[in-house]
Amino acid sequence: MNTAVSRAWQAARRRQAAQVMAIAVPLVVALAALAWRLATYDVASGVLAIGLLAAAALATWRARALDRRWLVRQLDQRPTARDSADLLFTDAATLNPLQLRQRERIDAALRQDPPELRARWPRRALAAAGCVSVLVVALAFGWPRAGSVPAAPAPVGTASGTAASTPPALQSARLRITAPSYTGQPVRTQSELDGKVAQDSQLRWSLRFSGTPTRAALQFHDGQRVELTQQDGQWSGSWKAARPVLYRVVTEPALRDTRLYRLDVVPDQPPSVRVVEPEATLVLGTPGQRRWQLRFEARDDHGVAATAQLKVTLAQGSGENITFREQVITLRGSGPAMQRRFAHALDLAALGASAGNDVIAQLQVRDNHAPTPQSAQSSSLILRLPTEADVQEAELEGMVKRTLPAYFRSQRQIIIDAEALLAQRSKLSGDEFTRRSDAIGVDQRILRLRYGQFLGEESEGAPRPPPTSDLPTSDVPSNDVPAPAAEDHEHDGHAADHDDDHGHERAGSDAPQLFGSATDVLSEYGHTHDHAEAATLLDPQTRATLKAALDQMWSSEGELRQGRPKEALPHAYKALAFIKEVQQAERIYLARVGPELPPIDESRRLGGKREGIDSRRLPLAALTAPDQAIVAVWQQLDSAGQPPDLEALNGWLRANETRLADPLSLAASIEELRMAPDCMRCRDALRAQLWRALLRPVPAPARRSTPDAMGQRYRDALGAGS
């Protein structure tokens, strides 16, 4: 290609890029100035950088639009090119002699007369962009800010004493907010003195006044005061945002504008944990299960810690012989910090879990709060591994109806409750301590009576139903009573008696046997004993040990019922030791628990007599109005001539600030009325705030509806009868 043509082409591209930048740069500067005025310096810097990058990209794109096709069209418009400028960019080997001759003529003509391809400068567009930019920048820097009044220039010849008497005004303000590091929020600067910040954020004010005040400070609504220091005409002060406040800027002499500013403090919320898998808190395992999959999801407003603690508890045994073994596993979460997921598959074999055990899992997570992280726990998840007996009983579920066991406190739990009550003795009143001790004594009595059934004792407080021989009872183990460890069927002292008894019953029975009935299954493979029979099946040594345990329970119950848990603990420990010995017995037989309905009291049946009936006229007591302090102020605000007691209202607000939904709005209304006592709008606003703060009175009982003619005759008859 011709060298002169190439230079003209590059000059045209540079001119195109320069024109775009000349128009775009003033507009970008205007946008940056507007962003500085409406937002902060950081936002303005970002707008300026992004705008310049966008202008450069647009200029590059416009310059590259002047490609070879554009150049050919521009050259063809000249007579010297003879509409054959495309020959300059075609390979000479592909041209015929006539085309080569035409190409040489065009090349020679362009060398003698280089073309001018640069576009003219758009003067009107440049002037419009410059004017708009200058106008926006002037308004951004010169327009007075909200809440401030520019100082009027002192007229010529005014005395110095008159200039000094002019009250100062807030000319500019900057509030720098440095949030705690755990929130991950950047440092931001704003021109507004109102704001919403995270708790424990460090705030720094930088204020400039039109006058020259001798002293400046920030006065908070609760009485706290932050003094401002002056340096080069700028007043600065710092404060740590620990609670929401209202404040105003005070100076000496006083400012023209004494408006209130509001700072809302957002506390850091603790994390929350949700169980994803399994769906139920109690999971029944399957025979041969080796792994248990757990999944959790944790959320927090500022981020959850990357690791969490999975607490796994293995419960083994039954009755009083339950042992617990704990293990803590550290899990690493996945996903974003605000919403992390934790997953783990428990290896039951490595954990040592076997049939009949319970595996309890609970996840504990922490957030990034500093200096003390906040923690949260998930709900406890329980995996219950079935035994072979449970599987066999599940297969017979359609033949034998089982009864859900009733759970009650064991002897070990009574000891734990008594020790916990002694630890809280200094925090409880005498009556509350005695009441809770008596409640533990009631639990001790219930446990003593249930253990006493094995010695043939009858329950207290209810008549014993007569024994029946037509319905056999089953000794299938149940959790209704705390049972010592059962012995095998091959126990020599019981097996022979049991076989003989049941053998005579089967031999002497002429009733037809129904195949598959529950009584046949229990009579053939189970045991049938009454309370008295169960007492005779214990060997003398076991009976003596159990009797000693009952005696210690009796002594423990007596001390607990009298409010002396400390004296009851030695007896409770001895009873627990005796129960441990009883558990070494080879077998125990539990009685079937049937329904025990209360007897019918014939004397309480309705007989139509009115003797002994008390009067139904209840005394009416006047209700005291809640929050007398604000009720009085609310009534004072109703009358325009009576000044309200704002000091009493401030005291009530400090005492009840926690139960109000928006205490700062009420405090702002109080301050507005304090600054303008004659403002009727301020009085109405404060009265409306007090109405929302008043406690709602208890609703009065509704009056009875007026009876009809028949109901009135019935009431008259009742009155005549009395």
Side-chain angles (χ1 to χ4, degrees), residues 394-706:
E395 295 175 354
L396 297 176
E397 186 176 3
M399 301 173 59
V400 181
K401 182 179 180 181
R402 302 195 50 172
T403 306
L404 189 67
Y407 297 94
F408 58 95
R409 302 196 181 191
S410 62
Q411 185 64 26
R412 180 183 285 105
Q413 186 63 42
I414 290 176
I415 294 174
I416 294 174
D417 292 346
E419 291 177 345
L421 180 60
L422 287 175
Q424 300 177 0
R425 186 167 190 172
S426 59
K427 302 178 182 179
L428 301 175
S429 61
D431 295 339
E432 179 66 14
F433 181 81
T434 304
R435 185 189 65 80
R436 295 178 61 174
S437 177
D438 180 72
I440 301 175
V442 172
D443 294 336
Q444 180 70 86
R445 171 181 174 273
I446 296 174
L447 188 61
R448 176 179 59 82
L449 293 178
R450 300 207 178 196
Y451 271 103
Q453 294 179 1
F454 298 101
L455 296 181
E457 297 181 359
E458 297 182 359
S459 59
E460 302 175 5
R464 180 180 177 85
T468 59
S469 59
D470 54 340
L471 294 176
T473 59
S474 170
D475 70 340
V476 178
S478 170
N479 289 335
D480 284 302
V481 295
E487 66 178 343
D488 297 333
H489 285 284
E490 288 76 14
H491 178 45
D492 54 350
H494 170 71
D497 298 339
H498 172 267
D499 293 341
D500 292 341
D501 295 342
H502 289 287
H504 289 303
E505 291 175 4
R506 289 193 297 269
S509 176
D510 297 330
Q513 299 293 334
L514 298 179
F515 176 79
S517 64
T519 55
D520 293 341
V521 175
L522 295 178
S523 63
E524 182 175 0
Y525 298 102
H527 300 273
T528 56
H529 299 284
D530 293 332
H531 290 269
E533 292 177 357
T536 62
L537 296 175
L538 299 177
D539 59 279
Q541 182 179 359
T542 304
R543 287 176 54 83
T545 306
L546 185 57
K547 182 64 171 64
L550 294 179
D551 294 339
Q552 295 298 330
M553 289 184 184
W554 177 271
S555 301
S556 173
E557 175 189 349
E559 299 293 345
L560 289 170
R561 297 299 293 270
Q562 298 180 42
R564 298 196 294 265
K566 185 176 182 180
E567 290 78 6
L569 281 177
H571 302 289
Y573 275 110
K574 292 179 181 179
L576 180 61
F578 286 128
I579 291 174
K580 291 291 185 181
E581 296 181 13
V582 174
Q583 287 177 346
Q584 304 304 319
E586 297 180 354
R587 178 169 295 282
I588 189 167
Y589 298 91
L590 307 183
R592 182 187 64 182
V593 179
E596 298 180 0
L597 301 178
I600 299 176
D601 187 3
E602 298 289 345
S603 63
R604 298 185 61 184
R605 290 184 176 274
L606 297 178
K609 298 181 181 180
R610 299 178 56 84
E611 290 81 1
I613 298 179
D614 296 335
S615 175
R616 294 188 178 182
R617 293 185 178 181
L618 301 178
L620 298 178
L623 292 176
T624 58
D627 302 333
Q628 292 292 338
I630 59 175
V631 169
V633 175
W634 188 80
Q635 294 174 348
Q636 293 169 1
L637 291 172
D638 191 21
S639 57
Q642 187 176 5
D645 190 357
L646 298 182
E647 295 300 329
L649 187 56
N650 270 330
W652 178 89
L653 178 59
R654 286 191 293 268
N656 299 270
E657 188 173 359
T658 56
R659 77 173 182 85
L660 296 179
D662 190 7
L664 292 185
S665 297
L666 179 57
S669 299
I670 296 174
E671 292 299 323
E672 287 180 1
L673 185 59
R674 188 193 304 275
M675 298 301 297
D678 299 333
C679 177
M680 296 303 298
R681 182 188 60 82
C682 302
R683 295 174 70 96
D684 295 339
L686 179 57
R687 200 162 187 264
Q689 291 285 345
L690 292 179
W691 178 257
R692 287 192 289 267
L694 281 171
L695 290 176
R696 298 296 181 265
V698 180
R703 291 183 174 272
R704 294 182 178 179
S705 59
T706 305

Side-chain angles (χ1 to χ4, degrees), residues 311-314 324-328 351:
K311 181 179 178 183
V312 182
T313 305
L314 178 63
F324 299 93
R325 188 174 62 189
E326 295 184 357
Q327 181 180 355
V328 178
L351 192 62

Side-chain angles (χ1 to χ4, degrees), residues 130-174:
C131 294
V132 170
S133 177
V134 171
L135 180 61
V136 172
V137 172
L139 291 176
F141 284 92
W143 193 270
R145 294 182 180 272
S148 64
V149 179
V156 179
T158 304
S160 60
T162 306
S165 62
T166 302
L170 186 61
Q171 189 174 16
S172 65
R174 290 178 60 191

